Amino acid sequence: MKRQRREAVTMKTIRKVLDNLAAASSSSSSSSTSQPGNRELDIPETLQSEHFQLCKTVRHGFPFEPSALAFDPVQKILAIGTQSGALRLFGRPGVECFCQHDSGAAVIQLQFLINEGALVSALEDDTLHLWNLRQKRPAILHSLKFNRERITFCHLPFQSKWLYVGTEKGNIHIVNVESFTLSGYVIMWNKAIELSSKSHPGPVVHISDNPMDEGKLLIGYESGIVVLWDLKSKKADYRYTYDEAIHSVAWHHEGKQFICSHSDGTLTIWNVRSPARPIQTIVPHGKQIKDGKKPEPCKPILKVEYKTTRYGEPFIILSGGLAYDTVGRRPCLTVMHGKSTAVLEMDYSIVDFLTLCETPYSNDFQEPYAVVVLLEKDLVVIDLAQNGYPIFENPYPLNIHESPVTCCEYFADCPVDLIPALYSVGARQKRQGYSKKEWPISGGNWGVGTQSYPEIIITGHADGSIKFWDASAITLQVLYKLKTAKVFEKSRNKDDKPSTDIVDEDPYAIQMISWCPESRMLCVAGVSAHVIVYRFSKQEVTADVIPMLEVRLLYEINDLESPDIEQVPTPSGGPNSQPIVLQSHPSTSSSSSDGIRDNVPCLRVKSTPLKQSPGYQVELVTQLVWVSGEPPQQITSLAINSAYGLVVFGNCNGIAMVDYIQKTVLLNLGTVELYGSNDPYQRQPRSPRKTRQPSGGLCDINETTVTTEDRCKSPTSGFTSPTSSDDEQSMNKFIEKVKSKGRKFSKAVATDLAKMSRKLSLPTELKPELVFTDVRDNSFSRSRSSSVTSIDKESREAISALHFCETFTRKPDISTSPCLWVGTTLGTVLVIVLNLPPGGDQRLLQPVIVSPSGTILRLKGAILRMAFLDTVGILIPPAFESWRETNVPDEKEDKERLKKRRPVSVSPSSSQEISENQYAVICSEKQAKVISLPSQNCIHKQNITETSFVLRGDVVSLNNGTCLACFCANGHIMTFSLPSLRPLLDVNYLPLTNMRIARTFCFTNNGQALYLVSPSEIQRITYSQETCENLQEMLGELFTPVETPEAPNRGFFKGLFGGGAQSLDREDLFGETVSGKAPRSLAQHIPGPGGIEGVKGAASGIAADLARARLALDERGQKLGEAEERTAAMLASADSLSKHAHEMMLKYKDKKWYQF
């Protein structure tokens, strides 16, 4: 036993040493320290580094900046390429896939190998890639890089392995898609046009084979020349010339006619055997002019498709071609069917469209049933079979960007009844008038989901809307949409909106969201300094009066005598330091007669009754008001607690707490006043102050006392606020600057400036007027050391984090009590005690008493997140009340009783004595600390980063453990154990490339995280090893075995007299034996990683061995091919030498010796 105990002690010691070594070596910029001798160090921690692995899971949303479209009519899979080289594949709803070309070059064209599980992509950098879609994560099998010519158009006939590639020079090359090598067969532009044109015909814009004769190739050149090329005889059969540039060409299925779209808005229909002139010219949107005159030119018709039906008129579908005088008209898709012409207006520009047909064979009646229209910011599918051409209801989550996303929150492991509740109220919001048919893109199979917990994503948008999404099991589906702008009066004209000048473009934009999933209480903060509290109800109600509060949030300091002008050194303290001029101006009340705006909110709440549908309904609207001609500062932090009935918010001026049950303001303090006599900073006054009234903790919103307000000014700013001696022109100039700042940023969908500024540690952006200041130190690694001057600190201190909890507020406490923890941008944490009245009627009548605790904690960098652990290290959730329906229409007494009930708390009440400790976890931009309560001893500290700063930090649950997850501006994603703060994961994942990522990145429980990767796409990632291992099973399959439809019947007489489709043995024409090999300098073959991925994904055993053997054979074959090519070149050289020698011999054969 002694030996076993010694071995156990030894192993424990070794494990501790290894953990310390891992902590020390995990990151050069992070360090962890702990206070020895504390019993808290013995808390068992279940999470280890092997539980963590970082990988991307899925990408949702509309492909940003789409550029190409393709459809497999047998597999029923849709592919979209983008200008950034991304590839999105869509099958049935819930089956999606994202791929990325490494080069990042724009995708110019996509071609499916129909029913083969493969796709060819052509990129702007003149490369072709062959994608293998038979695996869950598609990969590139082969690539071909063109060196001397630029790719402009590709065509792959159905059931052919030869891909035609047109180039900017006008030539056509042929690629074997199996080996991805070039054939020696080339169609040169000068051979194709010969003497039909005196100039170069331009790039190839179209290639297609005759539906009835595979040996005839139709080539369209940009200049207007079309050539019908005979592949066997290697010459042109016919040449068709038109004096307008060509954009697209389409065949009639019988192969006797084709149609061209031109740059002047005309369509020309040609008979194959009549090249002299078109048999018909159509101007779909032009004015018909008689007397044989040419019709007025229209905009170019960018694409046309010609689809036939067995028992009706053919469809001619085109995009573009509108008359030039239709200024402001939206882009249109035109459907011409017989004598009827339908013009379908689109919301965005048309990138491309495809007609979906019943058959993949081009030589049969096409029977079109739908049109897929790829727009700049949307995907629309039109039903051609129903009258009026209704659109299909899009089942994909492609409308994330319907209004630009301004903030995002992610909740995993929500209450199980939450998603059905949101879905039931959201189902009533669906539009009507969609096609009754099923969604036509129905390929692929769903994955086997192993994650059973509910996940919800909430997105806030620039138009004030909020969307709830079901994100369970790596899918995404919209549940419910809330429009917060309905609460406010809409401006009818420019003169009718004097208060919204600071945010002209998007005054309702959502800036922050605080949500309690258990009680379903929702609180949102908007860019116009407004806060709205919503309560969830399944009943429709009408609010006669919308409850409203106005808060005059001031920034004030104590009265001290000082000179009018002070000189304060800059933080650098270097030789370039310049004196800062600080001035002040007397405040102006709402009764002032000089026209300065005061006590006015930015938005006007509706005064008429508001009908509220089932779902989220307004409980209270709170607005910050203008003070002495200056707009309210945007909100930087927000929190709601359903158990206490309180909501709290803060900005760079101070903090306000509201009781949304009693509809009263409980707290309205400047940030400095939170410290009281414990202020650690020696704050200097700005100017002599007159007698003022103190702003108490409890205040009346209707008080009209005249108070003096000082705005926070940057110490590096050369801008000074107007003084009492300044005239009105100076004040107007100041307001105009504020307007320009607001307009500039709100239009860029960054209306949540204060939140981004807090996350990026750029305090100068907290205040609109500072856009025109001279900021000397704008680096991300801004120092917050004690060398910064007191006024510099004062000007930067904003409320950056808020957390309601039941914990120990002071060192002597022996029991927990409700309180609010407040974090600031200077790294200070303050604790405010909440004394709540009993439940029932007393909660409605007695006030909530708010008092400071005197507790102050300090960290380096702005506070980002606070959380609490119990004595065994388990995360303590905030107190909450469970949701109950409050709007009971019949039973009024029950309704009143429900309203007056005492909120249920999950944590111990204040009357219960607790002997166990708690642990506060505090994360700032630079470091994290774990503090034991009530002793307030720091037991663990981790310096997260020295050279960068943390953008987002969350305390999350994973594998029955708790950890701190951080995302830094340098791109590192890190996790730390709790409470010891041991580094568990540090991956350099994604450098901060734009503010969008900083604004939307968030972690949640069970190892999930997400961010907005583009304005229209959400990227989800996981840092859980278990999720990474199960991801392959969770992903859907794109390729499913489907039998290819039978080819159309030729018929007896067509077979007898040769009237049917003519086949072509392309192998004889394009193979090496006949055409030889193309010059190696023309294109370079690059083996793709897809083969290796296929080996990894293959089952162990024979399948894997065969795959490896095939790869080896491919590589060996490639080397043999190169050797064979060199041998062929040598043979050709020898043949040439022999030929010249023979010619010389014949020349001098019969000559005598003296004739030489």
Side-chain angles (χ1 to χ4, degrees):
M1 290 294 292
K2 290 183 179 179
R3 182 181 178 185
Q4 290 178 351
R5 193 177 294 110
R6 274 201 308 270
E7 289 178 352
V9 172
T10 306
M11 290 301 296
K12 189 175 182 180
T13 306
I14 292 173
R15 192 178 293 112
K16 283 188 176 181
V17 170
L18 290 174
D19 286 343
N20 290 334
L21 286 173
S25 61
S26 63
S27 174
S28 60
S29 63
S30 64
S31 62
S32 178
T33 60
S34 62
Q35 304 297 331
N38 288 316
R39 66 181 181 87
E40 291 87 352
L41 299 178
D42 296 330
I43 295 174
E45 294 179 357
T46 58
L47 290 179
Q48 302 298 328
S49 57
E50 58 264 22
H51 292 127
F52 294 88
Q53 182 183 342
L54 193 69
C55 70
K56 294 180 181 178
T57 52
V58 288
R59 182 174 293 196
H60 302 298
F62 182 77
F64 183 57
E65 295 182 338
S67 56
L69 181 68
F71 182 72
D72 187 326
V74 179
Q75 287 287 320
K76 297 193 182 300
I77 297 172
L78 187 76
I80 297 176
T82 72
Q83 293 183 21
S84 59
L87 195 61
R88 292 286 296 279
L89 297 150
F90 297 91
R92 66 180 59 195
V95 178
E96 296 181 31
C97 184
F98 168 79
C99 312
Q100 177 68 49
H101 294 91
D102 292 337
S103 65
V107 179
I108 58 174
Q109 199 173 351
L110 296 170
Q111 287 274 315
F112 273 104
L113 278 67
I114 295 175
N115 205 26
E116 294 291 333
L119 175 74
V120 174
S121 58
L123 270 58
E124 201 173 38
D125 63 353
D126 309 310
T127 54
L128 297 173
H129 302 278
L130 179 65
W131 290 86
N132 177 18
L133 307 183
R134 289 175 178 255
Q135 54 197 59
K136 289 192 172 183
R137 287 187 176 272
I140 295 174
L141 290 170
H142 300 282
S143 298
L144 193 65
K145 168 73 174 173
F146 280 74
N147 297 322
R148 296 186 299 190
E149 297 199 49
R150 306 217 63 183
I151 299 171
T152 56
F153 194 88
C154 298
H155 171 63
L156 180 65
F158 179 42
Q159 295 181 326
S160 169
K161 70 173 185 178
W162 299 97
L163 174 73
Y164 301 104
V165 181
T167 68
E168 197 174 49
K169 289 184 178 179
N171 304 324
I172 294 177
H173 301 278
I174 300 166
V175 177
N176 185 330
V177 292
E178 290 182 352
S179 61
F180 240 56
T181 55
L182 275 176
S183 166
Y185 192 111
V186 182
I187 303 174
M188 305 299 290
W189 69 270
N190 51 351
K191 292 285 187 182
I193 68 167
E194 287 187 346
L195 300 177
S196 62
S197 174
K198 295 180 181 179
S199 58
H200 191 279
V204 175
V205 295
H206 178 82
I207 307 170
S208 61
D209 50 334
N210 189 315
M212 287 296 180
D213 189 351
E214 295 175 351
K216 308 291 185 183
L217 198 66
L218 196 68
I219 308 166
Y221 294 96
E222 189 181 61
S223 63
I225 298 175
V226 179
V227 175
L228 186 66
W229 181 264
D230 190 317
L231 291 168
K232 291 181 180 178
S233 63
K234 299 183 179 181
K235 65 177 184 180
D237 282 353
Y238 300 102
R239 297 180 180 89
Y240 315 85
T241 305
Y242 194 73
D243 55 0
E244 292 292 340
I246 289 177
H247 285 276
S248 70
V249 184
W251 279 102
H252 187 281
H253 86 274
E254 293 179 346
K256 296 177 182 178
Q257 292 181 355
F258 61 88
I259 187 170
C260 301
S261 70
H262 299 277
S263 59
D264 63 345
T266 59
L267 297 172
T268 54
I269 301 177
W270 300 79
N271 194 321
V272 170
R273 299 181 181 275
S274 304
R277 64 179 60 87
I279 60 171
Q280 189 178 359
T281 302
I282 306 170
V283 188
H285 297 284
K287 295 178 181 177
Q288 299 297 330
I289 300 176
K290 298 180 180 180
D291 303 329
K293 293 182 180 179
K294 196 171 182 179
E296 290 184 2
C298 295
K299 295 175 183 178
I301 297 177
L302 301 177
K303 186 175 183 179
V304 64
E305 291 202 344
Y306 199 4
K307 302 298 180 182
T308 55
T309 57
R310 193 176 299 274
Y311 303 109
E313 298 286 341
F315 283 86
I316 297 177
I317 304 168
L318 57 105
S319 63
L322 294 177
Y324 279 105
D325 58 1
T326 55
V327 180
R329 188 170 179 180
R330 294 190 293 179
C332 295
L333 185 83
T334 305
V335 180
M336 302 171 67
H337 185 217
K339 294 182 180 180
S340 70
T341 300
V343 181
L344 309 176
E345 289 192 342
M346 302 292 160
D347 291 332
Y348 307 100
S349 300
I350 297 174
V351 176
D352 197 1
F353 73 88
L354 288 172
T355 308
L356 308 188
C357 302
E358 296 289 352
T359 176
Y361 295 95
S362 60
N363 59 352
D364 194 9
F365 287 99
Q366 300 299 288
E367 303 294 347
Y369 60 89
V371 182
V372 178
V373 188
L374 178 62
L375 306 176
E376 204 172 42
K377 295 182 180 180
D378 201 2
L379 181 73
V380 176
V381 182
I382 300 165
D383 186 354
L384 290 179
Q386 277 187 247
N387 292 332
Y389 305 131
I391 65 171
F392 289 86
E393 184 176 7
N394 198 323
Y396 305 136
L398 301 183
N399 60 341
I400 292 171
H401 64 295
E402 185 178 18
S403 174
V405 177
T406 52
C407 66
C408 193
E409 294 296 338
Y410 192 7
F411 300 86
D413 208 5
C414 301
V416 291
D417 60 341
L418 198 51
I419 290 177
L422 289 167
Y423 181 82
S424 65
V425 295
R428 308 181 189 187
Q429 299 177 330
K430 291 188 176 181
R431 289 173 48 192
Q432 303 297 322
Y434 290 112
S435 170
K436 297 177 182 178
K437 294 186 177 180
E438 290 187 4
W439 182 250
I441 304 164
S442 56
N445 283 326
W446 293 302
V448 181
T450 57
Q451 293 182 355
S452 57
Y453 53 85
E455 298 175 74
I456 291 177
I457 296 171
I458 305 178
T459 54
H461 300 264
D463 64 352
S465 62
I466 295 172
K467 290 181 181 178
F468 292 78
W469 305 82
D470 178 7
S472 308
I474 68 170
T475 61
L476 193 70
Q477 181 185 8
V478 68
L479 292 171
Y480 171 71
K481 180 179 179 180
L482 171 65
K483 296 180 179 178
T484 64
K486 285 185 175 181
V487 177
F488 302 103
E489 298 281 0
K490 289 187 178 179
S491 303
R492 297 180 181 178
N493 52 59
K494 292 184 178 179
D495 299 331
D496 194 31
K497 51 177 181 178
S499 303
T500 62
D501 290 343
I502 54 167
V503 280
D504 261 347
E505 303 297 334
D506 298 309
Y508 312 111
I510 303 300
Q511 199 170 356
M512 308 188 84
I513 297 170
S514 179
W515 189 48
C516 176
E518 289 79 12
S519 66
R520 305 181 189 175
M521 291 299 298
L522 173 70
C523 185
V524 297
V527 74
S528 296
H530 60 279
V531 175
I532 311 177
V533 178
Y534 287 93
R535 189 184 294 275
F536 186 85
S537 173
K538 293 183 178 180
Q539 305 295 326
E540 182 179 293
V541 296
T542 300
D544 295 331
V545 178
I546 299 173
M548 180 187 67
L549 293 176
E550 291 181 358
V551 178
R552 186 181 174 93
L553 191 56
L554 305 179
Y555 185 93
E556 298 184 317
I557 55 178
N558 293 329
D559 296 330
L560 292 173
E561 292 189 6
S562 64
D564 286 344
I565 299 175
E566 288 194 43
Q567 294 188 358
V568 182
T570 58
S572 61
N576 296 326
S577 301
Q578 297 179 2
I580 307 302
V581 180
L582 298 176
Q583 299 177 0
S584 68
H585 65 285
S587 65
T588 315
S589 70
S590 57
S591 60
S592 62
S593 59
D594 55 2
I596 295 177
R597 194 172 301 159
D598 193 50
N599 279 344
V600 180
C602 292
L603 301 172
R604 281 197 295 270
V605 176
K606 279 186 178 178
S607 56
T608 55
L610 179 65
K611 183 180 178 181
Q612 301 189 84
S613 302
Y616 275 102
Q617 298 167 354
V618 179
E619 180 81 5
L620 177 66
V621 179
T622 305
Q623 293 192 85
L624 298 182
V625 296
W626 286 63
V627 177
S628 303
E630 295 187 17
Q633 297 300 291
Q634 293 179 349
I635 292 163
T636 57
S637 55
L638 177 71
I640 188 171
N641 187 281
S642 58
Y644 307 155
L646 303 178
V647 61
V648 62
F649 54 92
N651 61 10
C652 68
N653 279 348
I655 186 172
M657 186 185 297
V658 172
D659 182 342
Y660 64 78
I661 294 176
Q662 296 186 17
K663 311 293 188 293
T664 57
V665 179
L666 301 176
L667 185 70
N668 181 8
L669 287 177
T671 313
V672 179
E673 293 171 311
L674 281 173
Y675 291 94
S677 60
N678 297 323
D679 190 355
Y681 310 116
Q682 185 181 357
R683 306 186 191 253
Q684 300 294 329
R686 299 176 184 275
S687 62
R689 308 299 297 265
K690 297 181 181 179
T691 305
R692 69 170 185 85
Q693 296 183 8
S695 56
L698 288 171
C699 63
D700 186 353
I701 61 168
N702 296 319
E703 63 184 353
T704 56
T705 54
V706 179
T707 55
T708 307
E709 184 228 18
D710 258 342
R711 303 276 299 180
C712 304
K713 302 298 178 189
S714 168
T716 56
S717 169
F719 176 80
T720 57
S721 55
T723 62
S724 56
S725 60
D726 288 339
D727 56 13
E728 190 175 351
Q729 182 179 0
S730 177
M731 175 62 74
N732 291 336
K733 185 178 179 181
F734 163 73
I735 294 175
E736 283 302 315
K737 288 181 178 179
V738 175
K739 290 182 188 178
S740 65
K741 168 68 163 68
R743 279 192 287 265
K744 178 180 177 183
F745 277 85
S746 62
K747 189 155 187 176
V749 196
T751 47
D752 49 348
L753 297 174
K755 182 178 179 183
M756 292 189 295
S757 304
R758 169 173 60 83
K759 288 186 175 180
L760 291 178
S761 287
L762 300 178
T764 51
E765 288 190 6
L766 285 172
K767 297 164 282 298
E769 67 269 30
L770 295 183
V771 73
F772 29 82
T773 63
D774 177 21
V775 181
R776 295 188 182 90
D777 180 15
N778 59 357
S779 64
F780 282 163
S781 56
R782 185 188 301 277
S783 170
R784 297 182 181 274
S785 65
S786 59
S787 63
V788 182
T789 64
S790 58
I791 288 188
D792 184 30
K793 289 180 177 179
E794 172 191 320
S795 67
R796 297 182 182 189
E797 188 162 25
I799 307 298
S800 58
L802 297 163
H803 188 84
F804 285 105
C805 56
E806 289 198 15
T807 186
F808 302 96
T809 57
R810 302 176 183 88
K811 289 184 180 182
D813 286 353
I814 58 172
S815 63
T816 61
S817 59
C819 57
L820 171 70
W821 285 52
V822 181
T824 74
T825 53
L826 291 189
T828 303
V829 176
L830 304 107
V831 182
I832 297 173
V833 181
L834 309 173
N835 191 349
L836 299 169
D841 293 338
Q842 294 184 59
R843 177 64 183 89
L844 295 173
L845 300 174
Q846 294 184 18
V848 177
I849 299 173
V850 181
S851 59
S853 68
T855 299
I856 297 179
L857 306 172
R858 292 280 298 142
L859 273 77
K860 182 181 178 183
I863 305 299
L864 298 179
R865 192 71 57 195
M866 294 172 285
F868 294 86
L869 309 178
D870 65 11
T871 187
V872 293
I874 298 174
L875 184 65
I876 302 173
F880 63 86
E881 65 169 0
S882 298
W883 178 82
R884 292 179 186 176
E885 179 62 69
T886 56
N887 297 321
V888 183
D890 297 326
E891 303 173 3
K892 292 185 178 180
E893 292 181 2
D894 289 347
K895 181 177 178 181
E896 292 299 319
R897 180 175 53 81
L898 287 171
K899 278 190 174 182
K900 297 174 184 178
R901 75 186 184 278
R902 170 68 179 168
V904 178
S905 172
V906 297
S907 45
S909 65
S910 57
S911 62
Q912 182 179 355
E913 292 194 3
I914 298 176
S915 59
E916 292 88 357
N917 288 4
Q918 287 186 356
Y919 305 98
V921 181
I922 307 173
C923 177
S924 76
E925 291 178 329
K926 292 290 186 179
Q927 63 181 195
K929 284 185 179 180
V930 174
I931 295 168
S932 177
L933 299 176
S935 65
Q936 297 184 11
N937 293 327
C938 177
I939 60 170
H940 296 286
K941 182 174 73 172
Q942 175 70 234
N943 291 323
I944 299 171
T945 176
E946 295 292 344
T947 58
S948 184
F949 61 95
V950 179
L951 285 167
R952 177 83 182 211
D954 286 296
V955 177
V956 293
S957 299
L958 174 68
N959 292 354
N960 298 320
T962 307
C963 67
L964 171 66
C966 298
F967 172 55
C968 292
N970 59 8
H972 283 253
I973 290 178
M974 295 180 281
T975 61
F976 302 91
S977 67
L978 289 175
S980 67
L981 291 175
R982 283 183 300 108
L984 298 173
L985 175 74
D986 187 353
V987 177
N988 188 2
Y989 171 71
L990 177 77
L992 179 65
T993 53
N994 54 53
M995 297 288 282
R996 186 191 317 109
I997 297 171
R999 193 174 65 241
T1000 58
F1001 198 103
C1002 48
F1003 297 96
T1004 189
N1005 296 329
N1006 298 330
Q1008 307 296 329
L1010 65 79
Y1011 59 94
L1012 213 65
V1013 69
S1014 75
S1016 59
E1017 293 170 289
I1018 288 175
Q1019 178 67 58
R1020 291 169 68 179
I1021 62 175
T1022 182
Y1023 49 95
S1024 164
Q1025 169 69 28
E1026 183 182 357
T1027 305
C1028 289
E1029 290 176 353
N1030 297 330
L1031 184 59
Q1032 191 72 14
E1033 294 180 5
M1034 296 167 65
L1035 294 173
E1037 288 181 322
L1038 285 168
F1039 179 80
T1040 53
V1042 179
E1043 191 174 339
T1044 303
E1046 290 186 7
N1049 192 358
R1050 287 180 75 185
F1052 174 75
F1053 290 105
K1054 286 187 176 180
L1056 184 64
F1057 299 107
Q1062 302 295 317
S1063 60
L1064 173 72
D1065 190 347
R1066 296 186 178 92
E1067 187 68 38
D1068 285 347
L1069 278 177
F1070 307 142
E1072 290 182 25
T1073 54
V1074 177
S1075 299
K1077 286 191 173 183
R1080 290 194 63 196
S1081 59
L1082 182 62
Q1084 176 188 0
H1085 177 262
I1086 305 167
I1092 300 169
E1093 292 294 326
V1095 171
K1096 290 179 180 177
S1100 58
I1102 298 173
D1105 292 339
L1106 284 173
R1108 292 189 191 95
R1110 185 170 181 178
L1111 270 180
L1113 283 172
D1114 285 346
E1115 293 175 3
R1116 184 168 179 266
Q1118 186 180 351
K1119 292 177 180 177
L1120 285 174
E1122 292 173 359
E1124 187 180 348
E1125 196 170 311
R1126 289 194 293 270
T1127 305
M1130 292 173 65
L1131 282 172
S1133 178
D1135 287 344
S1136 177
L1137 181 63
S1138 173
K1139 184 179 178 182
H1140 282 296
H1142 185 65
E1143 288 175 356
M1144 288 287 291
M1145 184 270 290
L1146 291 175
K1147 183 176 179 181
Y1148 298 110
K1149 179 181 178 182
D1150 297 326
K1151 291 187 179 182
K1152 303 295 182 182
W1153 62 269
Y1154 52 81
Q1155 292 178 320
F1156 285 98

